[in-house]
Amino acid sequence: MKTKFILAAALIGLSSCSMTDIITDNNGGNDSAISFSVARKNATKAPTALNQTNHYNFGVFAYKNTDAEHNVMANYLVGYKGDNVGYYMSDTDQTTMGDAAGLANGQSMWQYEKLGSAEYNYTGTDGYYTKTQTQYMSNVANQYLRYWDNSSASTSFYAYAPYINGAGTATYDNSEKTLTIPDGSVVAAFVEGNATQEASEYMYATTTVETANYGKDVQLNFKRLNAKVNIKFWEDIAGYDVKILDLTSEYGVSAAPSVQEGTAPAFTYAQGEYFAKSGYDINFSAATPAVTAKTGTKTSDALKFTSPDADKIGETQAEATPSVTTYYAIPKNNTTGFTFHVSYMLTSTTGEKITVQNATVFVPAANANWVANTHYTYIFKITKNTSGPTGDPGTINPNDPTASTDNALYPIVFDNCSVEDWVVANSDYNIN
């Protein structure tokens, strides 16, 4: 597609908009117990509760500075109880249960006490996680309430979200100050509409609390390991409305991984690949944690986005119409670009319709080398210079890496207008 392509990067920037205020210890009635109150805040926005983003758990490791070998918490699951969401808990089972988030009084809706796999026994049908949903359960059999120790000058916390259950769970090596999320645990994923992204957004955080702040809120600044990708469309073809159509019966809009080779205008395209799974080592030795990706697993499958369902897309960039699909990408030195495939229908002011099928545009690798904790929006402008056939497109391959350079729309042009010579027709009559 000879369309103009605009990348709006860093709508959520790594340095400017991060997950903050995640863990706090509430002072008050149980001021010696370590309790958690979780919220999410972007640097330029008001705080948003982590549970409002459909995250209802995280894992945490904790060590005192006086004891580098024996942990305070070893991969404890910290869970949230809301109105029929998260984990079912009661005031009698959780010592620090209750109160609203953000009040430093030792009460919280985020709990770890008695959420061990041998302790959590909920089997009801009110919407809370049940003990049979093992992916949401702790790897620890018994989770006990933990307390601040004033004999240690500080206590350090190392956390990750979401919690990973099973043999492939996260681990922490305090001698190396390294949190490890095993290879393959972080999976690139597509999320539709308001569906949960809990298993798609992976995060890590750390903080060290000194004695003077024991019993007060413990602040953790979570950073995402994924990148977030969305797409939008707008058009400026005068006299026509444009509606995005499904590319095939299985695809809305596709983005085939592709490598552009050669030089303009004779570009060729080869199949590319990108990371579908990975794991990470996060080293907390320095003030800024060092994140190292594992080997990872690659794929050449096309990215799949649902077509916008609007009858017509926006006519300015500010009114660009989005797909409801969000892609949570693995940001791991991506060296491939993507050829986007789009079909759409133009409707004129008189109701006449033209269908353009399998229009394409190539997005270079430089604009697809995603960075963690960054939100990318690809904004496509459909113009009269589009590619793609208006007749039978043949079999459409959503994984085809080749970007077409053939025009789809040819304007109706009037030229060489002429007038034929008069035709001479004689009719003879005699006058007598």
Side-chain angles (χ1 to χ4, degrees), residues 172-178 283-285:
Y172 179 75
D173 183 345
N174 197 42
S175 64
E176 298 293 334
K177 295 289 186 288
T178 299
N283 185 274
F284 297 101
S285 298

Side-chain angles (χ1 to χ4, degrees), residues 99-168:
D99 212 302
L103 297 180
N105 61 357
Q107 300 293 304
S108 174
M109 303 305 288
W110 288 90
Q111 296 290 309
Y112 57 88
E113 184 185 14
K114 297 184 180 180
L115 285 191
S117 57
E119 302 164 309
Y120 186 78
N121 292 309
Y122 181 73
T123 57
T125 58
D126 292 331
Y128 300 104
Y129 296 139
T130 66
K131 68 176 184 179
T132 59
Q133 293 176 281
T134 55
Q135 70 270 32
Y136 300 111
M137 298 298 108
S138 175
N139 290 283
V140 181
N142 300 96
Q143 294 193 175
Y144 304 102
L145 190 65
R146 295 305 192 190
Y147 301 90
W148 296 105
D149 180 4
N150 285 297
S151 68
S152 62
S154 63
T155 303
S156 295
F157 297 85
Y158 309 93
Y160 70 95
Y163 192 89
I164 301 174
N165 175 272

